[in-house]
Amino acid sequence: MVGVIAVGSAIAAGELVAGFVGADASPLIAIGSAAINLTPGWLKNFATNTFGTADKLVLLSGMGVVLLAVAIGSGLASRRTATPGTVVALVLGALGVAAVMARSDLGQLGLLAPLASLLAGVIVFRSLHRLALRWAAADAAEAGSPAGRPPAEDRRRFLITSAGVAVGAGLAGFGGQALAGTGDVEGSRNAVGRLVPARTISPVTAGADFAADGTPTFITSNTDFYRIDTALTVPMLSTQDWSLRIHGMVDREITLRYSDIRNRPLVEAPVTLTCVSDPVGGQYISTSNFIGVPLRDVLMEAGVHEQADQLLSTSVDGFTVGTPVDVLLDENRGALLAIGMNREPLPIEHGFPARMVVPGLYGYVSATKWVTDMELTTWDRAQAYWVPRGYAQQAPIKTESRIDRPRPSATVPAGRVVVAGIAWAQSKGIAKVEVRVDNGSWQPAQLSSEVSKNTWRMWRAALDLRPGGHTVQARATDDTGYTQTAAVQGEIPDGATGYPSVRFTCR
Ligand SMILES: Nc1nc2c(c(=O)[nH]1)N[C@H]1C(S)=C(S)[C@@H](COP(=O)(O)O)O[C@H]1N2
Ligand SMILES: [Mo]
C-alpha cells in the first residue's frame, strides 16, 4: 500500500506541475512518448494494425499495469528498511527526468514536473514507510508485553496519513489535468471561426459516391477522418503561439504568423489522405475539403535553391517529415499549407493551427500536423522520423482499391449482388476498376463521376451469383495505364499491395 500510494503521488505531483509548465512536461507522458519513439517499426506497425487508433490507450494501460506491479513489488521488498523502495522511487524519478529532457519541444521549466514527481515519490514513500514501521513495532511490542504502547494510535496515524496523501494526490492529479486542459487552444480554434475559401478547386459534384451501395461518403466528416500520429497527447498550440519558420537552402529565411496565412485568399481542394500503414482492405484513408494557401507560393517567397531536393518539416513535438521539393513546387500538384478541413479550422488532433497536405504522397512523407518548421535540405543530409525505422525515404501513394460491400463473411441473397468499393491513385487519377468472382474473368465496374485526380473514386458492379460461397476481388488501373499489382507486399517499407479480396455467402 505504501508503494502504491508513493507511485500514485509521484505521478500526481508530475501532472500537477505539468499543469503549470506545459502538459508535455508530464513525466508519465514523456516516458510513454519515449517508449513510442524507441519502438521498432515492425512492433509499432503491429500495434496500429492490432489496436488501431486505440494503440495509445493500450500503451498507457500497459504502463499503468507495469507501474502498479513495480509499486507493489518495491513495497513488499521494503518490509524491513525503506532502502529498496527509495531506490525504486529514485530510479523511476530519474527515468521521468531523462524522458522530459529528451523532448526537444520543452523549455527548462519543463524539468520542474519530473523533479516534483521524483521528490514526491521519495518523500511520500519514506514518510509513510516510517509510520508503517512504527505501527508494526508497536504491534510487536504489544504482542510481546501487554504493558507496551497501544498500537491502535500508531495504526490510526498511519491510516489517516495514507488516506490524506491518497486523496491529496488524487486532487493534485486531476487539478493538473484540468489546468493542462484544452481550454485555451479550443478557444483559440473557436476564435478562428468558419473558413470561407476565395477559390474552390474541383468542387465536389453529385454522383461522386455510391454511398447507397455501401461505399463511404465522398467527403469524410471531420470526426470520422482517420487519425495517425506518434503523439501520445495531442500537441496544444494556439494561433497566438504558432509560427512557421522556413529556412535552410533558401534565398531569404521567412517566419509566418497565423494571421499571415489566414489573411491571404484561401484555396479549397478535396484531397484523399492515405497512410502507408493502411493494409489491403484497411481503413486508414479519408477525404476532406482542405483549405489553406498553396505551399508552392510560400516556398517561392523564401526562394528555394536549385540544389535543395528535400523539404524537412518538423511539428511542434519534434516529429519530422521529408518531402520531395519538386513535388511541392509543381503547380499542378496543389500542395497546401492547410489551416482547415471542410470549412472548419483544423481539428486539434488533425494538426491545428496548420499542417501540410500534399496530394499523391503517403502521410508520413507529406502531411506534417502542427507544423512549425520547414528546412530546405537534401536527401543525403537528413533523414525524417520514419526512415531510420525501416520506411522508404520517398513514398508516392500506390494505385490501389478496396471492396466495401459485401462485408467479409456476409450472407446476402443469391441472384443480383452489388459489389462496391473505392479506388485511388492520387495525382494520377483512376481510369478503370475491374472485379472478378471466384477467379473468373475480370469485368469492368461502373465508376462514380471524377471529382479530382487527387481524390478517391467510387466503383460498383452488379453481379449475378448462385447460392454458395464466393470470393470477389478488385483491381484498379490509373490514368498512366498502370494496373495495381497482384503481388502481395506488407506495409513496410512503402505501402501494402495485393488485390483486395472478400469472401461471402449467397443464400
Ligand atoms: N506531427 C505529426 N504529423 C503527422 C504524423 C505524426 O506522427 N506527427 N503522422 C503522419 C502520418 S503517418 C499520417 S498517415 C498523417 C495522418 O493525418 P491525419 O491524422 O490527419 O489523418 O499525418 C502525418 N502527419
Ligand atoms: Mo501514416
Side-chain angles (χ1 to χ4, degrees):
M1 179 167 146
V2 170
V4 172
I5 294 180
V7 167
S9 304
I11 293 172
E15 291 302 304
L16 181 63
V17 177
F20 289 101
V21 299
D24 292 333
S26 152
L28 190 66
I29 296 304
I31 289 177
S33 302
I36 292 176
N37 290 343
L38 295 175
T39 303
W42 61 266
L43 184 57
K44 140 92 199 182
N45 217 51
F46 164 81
T48 28
N49 286 343
T50 314
F51 306 118
T53 322
D55 57 348
K56 274 144 209 148
L57 190 64
V58 171
L59 174 71
L60 282 177
S61 313
M63 281 171 64
V65 171
V66 170
L67 280 173
L68 190 66
V70 169
I72 292 173
S74 50
L76 291 177
S78 306
R79 283 232 158 105
R80 282 202 176 78
T81 77
T83 313
T86 309
V87 170
V88 170
L90 283 170
V91 168
L92 287 181
L95 272 180
V97 172
V100 171
M101 275 173 73
R103 293 192 69 128
S104 55
D105 54 334
L106 293 170
Q108 282 166 345
L109 265 189
L111 277 182
L112 288 177
L115 285 175
S117 193
L118 188 154
L119 282 180
V122 172
I123 292 172
V124 167
F125 185 80
R126 294 192 67 91
S127 312
L128 291 184
H129 190 272
R130 187 152 35 82
L131 292 179
L133 271 195
R134 210 183 282 167
W135 165 25
D139 237 1
E142 189 186 50
S145 79
R149 195 153 42 102
E153 199 178 304
D154 285 311
R155 184 183 60 206
R156 202 177 315 120
R157 178 174 301 163
F158 170 75
L159 290 177
I160 288 177
T161 313
S162 297
V165 171
V167 169
L171 289 177
F174 283 113
Q177 295 276 309
L179 278 171
T182 61
D184 52 336
V185 176
E186 202 55 79
S188 162
R189 183 171 178 270
N190 289 337
V192 173
R194 230 179 128 65
L195 296 169
V196 180
R199 188 161 60 99
T200 295
I201 301 162
S202 328
V204 180
T205 47
D209 65 41
F210 295 140
D213 291 307
T215 72
T217 53
F218 187 82
I219 294 291
T220 314
S221 71
N222 287 0
T223 45
D224 289 343
F225 205 97
Y226 85 91
R227 177 191 166 196
I228 293 284
D229 51 61
T230 61
L232 191 50
T233 52
V234 182
M236 291 291 164
L237 195 55
S238 68
T239 55
Q240 291 295 317
D241 293 337
W242 181 84
S243 67
L244 172 63
R245 176 170 169 245
I246 301 173
H247 61 110
M249 299 166 76
V250 293
D251 294 338
R252 62 207 82 83
E253 186 176 318
I254 55 177
T255 298
L256 296 166
R257 311 283 315 170
Y258 190 75
S259 53
D260 297 332
I261 308 292
R262 178 75 185 81
N263 294 332
R264 292 179 190 215
L266 299 175
V267 297
E268 175 182 58
V271 179
T272 298
L273 239 58
T274 310
C275 183
V276 71
S277 304
D278 187 46
V280 173
Q283 301 295 321
Y284 297 145
I285 179 166
S286 300
T287 301
S288 188
N289 265 313
F290 287 97
I291 301 183
V293 296
L295 191 49
R296 176 177 191 272
D297 294 357
V298 177
L299 294 176
M300 300 281 272
E301 283 161 34
V304 177
H305 291 178
E306 190 92 49
Q307 303 85 335
D309 53 13
Q310 175 179 214
L311 179 84
L312 186 76
S313 54
T314 308
S315 77
V316 70
D317 65 355
F319 176 80
T320 51
V321 162
T323 311
V325 168
D326 55 351
V327 170
L328 297 173
L329 294 183
D330 178 357
E331 215 166 349
N332 298 321
R333 186 65 74 112
L336 287 178
L337 175 57
I339 60 170
M341 281 167 78
N342 300 328
R343 308 234 164 156
E344 273 182 40
L346 291 175
I348 298 174
E349 65 273 21
H350 291 294
F352 181 78
R355 74 177 303 173
M356 284 173 51
V357 171
V358 188
L361 305 179
Y362 285 119
Y364 82 105
V365 289
S366 71
T368 321
K369 305 192 273 190
W370 316 287
V371 63
T372 54
D373 191 283
M374 292 182 180
E375 183 191 357
L376 277 301
T377 180
T378 57
W379 291 114
D380 49 358
R381 242 190 269 173
Q383 283 196 331
Y385 186 90
W386 282 111
V387 178
R389 291 168 171 84
Y391 285 82
Q393 203 164 31
Q394 300 203 41
I397 295 174
K398 295 177 177 176
T399 299
E400 298 291 332
S401 56
R402 184 180 81 187
I403 300 167
D404 287 77
R405 192 169 288 173
R407 308 300 309 149
S409 312
T411 301
V412 298
R416 186 176 183 271
V417 174
V418 176
V419 180
I422 58 176
W424 61 94
Q426 291 95 315
S427 85
K428 301 187 178 87
I430 287 292
K432 178 169 76 174
V433 172
E434 299 158 291
V435 296
R436 70 174 176 193
V437 183
D438 304 329
N439 283 318
S441 56
W442 290 103
Q443 39 190 310
Q446 181 196 3
L447 293 177
S448 63
S449 53
E450 180 175 75
V451 171
S452 157
K453 300 203 176 308
N454 293 336
T455 56
W456 55 19
R457 207 160 166 192
M458 316 291 175
W459 56 266
R460 66 182 171 194
L463 308 171
D464 188 23
L465 298 179
R466 276 189 302 232
H470 296 289
T471 299
V472 62
Q473 290 179 303
R475 69 176 187 193
T477 300
D478 64 34
D479 283 342
T480 71
Y482 171 84
T483 299
Q484 87 176 81
T485 175
V488 174
Q489 191 201 291
E491 294 89 76
I492 298 176
D494 61 357
T497 62
Y499 296 149
S501 178
V502 167
R503 213 180 139 63
F504 62 99
T505 307
C506 285
R507 200 172 45 198

